[in-house]
Amino acid sequence: DTGVSQDPRHKITKRGQNVTFRCDPISEHNRLYWYRQTLGQGPEFLTYFQNEAQLEKSRLLSDRFSAERPKGSFSTLEIQRTEQGDSAMYLCASDPRGLFFGEGSRLTVL
Amino acid sequence: GQQLNQSPQSMFIQEGEDVSMNCTSSSIFNTWLWYKQDPGEGPVLLIALYKAGELTSNGRLTAQFGITRKDSFLNISASIPSDVGIYFCAGLQGNAGGTSYGKLTFGQGTILTVHP
């Protein structure tokens, strides 16, 4: 048990719908990251928070994606108007001294 | 985006055999991490390396940070069936504790199958 929890673990949605994922990091970790992993690939960095501040966003994070961490604790990742290409595992992680990942939220867009 | 070259892509071994996999890059990394991922789960951190030349063990696992800072390898000794999974290397170009610390670049993974 890494201590990073994600919800839901699986989400199936129809194209065009909005989805939201939640991440609760290890409590003493102030840095939180979102990654995306498609089948057969390693995870790819999406965005990063230090406390409530979103400090960096990848080019992978299109305008349909938004991430928040309002109180510097849990974070949400919302995808609006989902597309089939959004189907992936969305991973949350926190550090220090090595990223500790949650179990992921698998999204399937039909 | 930038990728690490991880090899081999897959390995089929007998229980009890030793395993070696490596990761190379054209760019310098200041931290190397090795992860194991089971199907449907998130990656689990196995070993973290912070200094060039560093050799670190975690049970039957041993990993080294290459002197050139452009490569790393992972060895698993006396493999057992529960070693099955996908192993990923990941590199960080920044410094541990820096502002972009968690922005890792991952390899494409080595799929390990262990036959009893």
Side-chain angles (χ1 to χ4, degrees), chain B residues 11-13 19 21 76 83-87 110-114:
Chain B
M11 302 182 72
F12 298 84
I13 62 170
V19 172
M21 60 191 77
I76 305 172
D83 291 333
V84 165
I86 305 176
Y87 291 80
T110 294
I111 302 171
L112 179 62
T113 303
V114 180

Side-chain angles (χ1 to χ4, degrees), chain A residues 2 9 31 33 35 37 40-45 48 55-56 89 91 95-104 106, chain B residues 1 3 33 35 37 40-45 48 50 88 96-109:
Chain A
T2 64
R9 294 289 311 278
R31 290 190 288 210
Y33 308 84
Y35 279 73
Q37 185 178 25
Q41 302 294 319
E44 294 177 291
F45 171 82
Y48 150 62
L55 296 185
E56 190 166 352
M89 173 83 91
L91 294 161
D95 72 14
R97 301 289 285 177
L99 252 60
F100 297 91
F101 284 87
E103 293 177 319
R106 178 164 295 284
Chain B
Q3 287 275 324
L33 306 171
Y35 289 87
Q37 186 174 28
E41 304 292 330
V44 174
L45 181 63
Y50 303 106
F88 288 99
T99 55
S100 293
Y101 177 61
K103 189 178 176 183
L104 296 174
T105 299
F106 279 80
Q108 292 184 306

Side-chain angles (χ1 to χ4, degrees), chain A residues 33-88:
Chain A
Y33 308 84
W34 286 98
Y35 279 73
R36 181 175 73 183
Q37 185 178 25
T38 53
L39 203 60
Q41 302 294 319
E44 294 177 291
F45 171 82
L46 289 180
T47 190
Y48 150 62
F49 289 86
Q50 177 141 353
N51 299 313
E52 64 274 11
Q54 188 173 16
L55 296 185
E56 190 166 352
K57 294 196 292 186
S58 160
R59 294 177 187 175
L60 294 174
L61 217 62
S62 75
D63 292 344
R64 296 184 298 104
F65 288 70
S66 62
E68 295 182 343
R69 195 182 183 197
K71 298 181 180 179
S73 55
F74 73 91
S75 175
T76 57
L77 177 68
E78 181 183 16
I79 309 174
Q80 296 182 325
R81 305 182 303 282
T82 53
E83 302 173 355
Q84 288 183 325
D86 297 332
S87 295

Side-chain angles (χ1 to χ4, degrees), chain A residues 26 28-33 48 93-101, chain B residues 30-35 44-51 54 56 65 90 92 94-98 100-104:
Chain A
I26 297 171
E28 62 268 26
H29 291 180
N30 59 13
R31 290 190 288 210
L32 182 151
Y33 308 84
Y48 150 62
S94 65
D95 72 14
R97 301 289 285 177
L99 252 60
F100 297 91
F101 284 87
Chain B
N30 290 320
T31 300
W32 286 90
L33 306 171
W34 284 91
Y35 289 87
V44 174
L45 181 63
L46 299 174
I47 292 180
L49 303 158
Y50 303 106
K51 290 174 57 177
E54 180 180 355
T56 298
F65 189 146
L92 173 71
N95 294 312
S100 293
Y101 177 61
K103 189 178 176 183
L104 296 174

